[in-house]
Amino acid sequence: MNTIRPPYIILLLSALLLACISCGKKEKPAKAPIRVAIETTSMAGSESGETYVGIVEEREATAVSFTSMGVVRRMLVSEGQAVQRGQLLAEIDPTSMDNSLEAAKASTSQANDMVVQAQNVYAQAKDAYDRLKLLHDNGSLPEIKWIEAETRLKQAETGLRSAEAGVRSANAAEKIVRKNLSDTRLYAPVSGIIGRKLVGAGETALPSQSVVTILDISSVKVKVSVPEQEIGSITSSTPSYITVDAADRHVNGGHIEKGVQADPLTHTYDIRIHVANPGRQLLPGMVAQVTLHTGATADHGITLPVSSVQKHTDGSLFVWTVSKDSTAHRTAVEIGQSSGNRVLILQGLHYDERVVVEGYQKLSEGTKVVF
């Protein structure tokens, strides 16, 4: 006799099974923070610095223009857009150039036909000359006939040379027209970002009139006006520290270019500090606060123990920094010269950052730390 189990028995068995599974799982204990030693970044040395206001400038600006006049049919870029060398930027209406090319091709074809005709005339004249020469050499040809043969051959030679010159001229003219046609397309000569767009679609572009400017900001310069009484203490290697609030960047400046001509009204000299800009976060026109450590040596700046700088498998360098929530993070850096067991940090860190200098061997991205 078959017995049908009541539904409550099935439910009871399912609950017991789930309870057994739950009992078999053990909660993983929270991972204990890793103890590390840190160092807070600061400017080495005790020399005081002078603070100035600077403006970020592009490394180089390239004005791009058409070589011929025409109405702009398409403008393919906008201000602030990144472009690569060889990228199409704009086009002018090629209709007139297309018509000129067709006319040039017709002239070239006609010149080629004239060469073929001149070659035939020359071949006939040369054949007649060769046959009459045998008679002339044997003394059986009247002199007048021989002169006529020579004249016809010379005329044929002149005609052939003239036709060949016409072909060369037509080919050169067609080549120029083809070049002008290709010049209706404007390509980027360098990579960068579009700074200004000076001509729009439907407007007439003149030869050598700037259509767009392309800015190279792979690195930038920070321009600072320095009073004449202070310019003498600044050298090409004077250490500098630059803060750009708009980009939230704090970097050490590099090589300094010194101007040699003062502003006649303010009696200041312009200097330009080279700054690496790998992320292209620093843009022309941004305001920068610049501290120049005159009298400091090249060793002054942010320094760390050499052992705290780690290397990725791809060769790039990083250090472990500790954020406000006490978690560790990899921070890419660029280093300069070392002195003893410390190394100068050129890029990647700013002051008052906490950097792990001991205990970094067990760290991974986001690890909780105590110090």
Side-chain angles (χ1 to χ4, degrees):
M1 181 177 179
N2 294 331
T3 301
I4 300 176
R5 294 177 179 174
Y8 71 86
I9 295 178
I10 297 175
L11 292 175
L12 180 60
L13 291 174
S14 299
L16 290 172
L17 180 60
L18 289 173
C20 292
I21 294 174
S22 299
C23 291
K25 290 183 178 179
K26 295 182 179 179
E27 293 186 1
K28 294 182 179 179
K31 192 173 182 179
I34 295 177
R35 182 165 295 278
V36 296
I38 67 165
E39 182 176 313
T40 302
T41 57
S42 61
M43 170 66 76
S46 59
E47 292 82 355
S48 60
E50 295 291 339
T51 300
Y52 307 88
V53 174
I55 297 294
V56 177
E57 294 182 338
E58 67 278 0
R59 177 176 177 268
E60 188 175 359
T62 303
V64 187
S65 60
F66 288 104
T67 58
S68 57
M69 184 177 71
V71 176
V72 177
R73 184 173 68 172
R74 291 197 302 165
M75 179 61 68
L76 303 174
V77 293
S78 56
E79 292 183 0
Q81 179 180 338
V83 296
Q84 299 297 318
R85 181 179 180 181
Q87 181 174 334
L88 181 62
L89 305 177
E91 292 179 333
I92 58 177
D93 189 349
T95 301
S96 61
M97 293 300 173
D98 285 335
N99 294 336
S100 297
L101 179 59
E102 291 302 319
K105 289 164 68 175
S107 296
T108 301
S109 177
Q110 183 178 4
N112 286 327
D113 291 342
M114 293 180 65
V115 167
V116 172
Q117 294 175 6
Q119 288 173 339
N120 291 335
V121 171
Y122 174 79
Q124 293 172 1
K126 185 67 168 61
D127 180 66
Y129 176 87
D130 291 340
R131 286 187 287 103
L132 293 176
K133 187 175 186 304
L134 295 175
L135 298 176
H136 179 266
D137 291 345
N138 293 331
S140 58
L141 182 71
E143 189 66 23
I144 186 64
K145 294 292 185 181
W146 175 242
I147 294 174
E148 290 177 354
E150 288 183 322
T151 301
R152 282 195 297 270
L153 181 59
K154 290 180 180 179
Q155 289 175 341
E157 288 176 343
T158 301
L160 179 57
R161 286 196 297 269
S162 177
E164 290 174 341
V167 167
R168 289 193 295 271
S169 177
N171 286 335
E174 183 178 341
K175 184 177 180 180
I176 292 174
V177 174
R178 288 184 182 277
K179 175 65 167 58
N180 291 338
L181 180 60
S182 69
D183 287 345
T184 61
R185 295 181 177 88
L186 187 63
Y187 296 93
V190 295
S191 299
I193 63 169
I194 301 299
R196 296 186 62 190
K197 187 172 68 172
L198 303 170
V199 177
E203 298 179 0
T204 299
L206 300 176
S208 302
Q209 174 192 9
S210 295
V211 176
V212 295
T213 57
I214 300 177
L215 308 181
D216 179 0
I217 59 170
S218 56
S219 64
V220 294
K221 302 175 184 178
V222 177
K223 184 179 78 170
V224 179
S225 296
V226 178
E228 60 181 11
Q229 63 270 24
E230 299 172 13
I231 191 67
S233 61
I234 298 173
T235 69
S236 61
S237 58
T238 295
S240 60
Y241 182 67
I242 299 168
T243 300
V244 182
D245 290 333
D248 192 24
R249 290 287 303 277
H250 311 266
V251 298
N252 291 318
H255 176 77
I256 296 178
E257 298 176 3
K258 290 176 60 176
V260 296
Q261 187 170 358
D263 186 297
L265 297 178
T266 62
H267 296 281
T268 58
Y269 289 82
D270 287 341
I271 66 169
R272 287 175 169 81
I273 307 170
H274 289 247
V275 179
N277 192 27
R280 289 180 168 81
Q281 295 174 314
L282 300 179
L283 301 176
M286 287 184 173
V287 177
Q289 181 177 323
V290 180
T291 301
L292 293 171
H293 293 268
T294 55
T297 66
D299 293 333
H300 288 75
I302 295 176
T303 66
L304 290 173
V306 174
S307 59
S308 66
V309 180
Q310 308 296 303
K311 181 180 288 188
H312 279 296
T313 54
D314 61 3
S316 60
L317 303 177
F318 70 94
V319 296
W320 289 102
T321 57
V322 180
S323 60
K324 293 180 179 180
D325 62 356
S326 297
T327 55
H329 303 279
R330 291 184 181 89
T331 301
V333 295
E334 296 179 18
I335 64 172
Q337 60 187 351
S338 59
S339 177
N341 65 345
R342 299 187 69 84
V343 65
L344 180 66
I345 305 299
L346 299 177
Q347 302 289 339
L349 296 177
H350 55 83
Y351 300 144
D352 296 324
E353 281 198 89
R354 296 179 295 186
V355 179
V356 178
V357 294
E358 292 181 17
Y360 45 77
Q361 294 85 349
K362 297 180 181 180
L363 296 180
S364 59
E365 185 68 23
T367 299
K368 282 282 187 180
V369 298
V370 292
F371 44 87

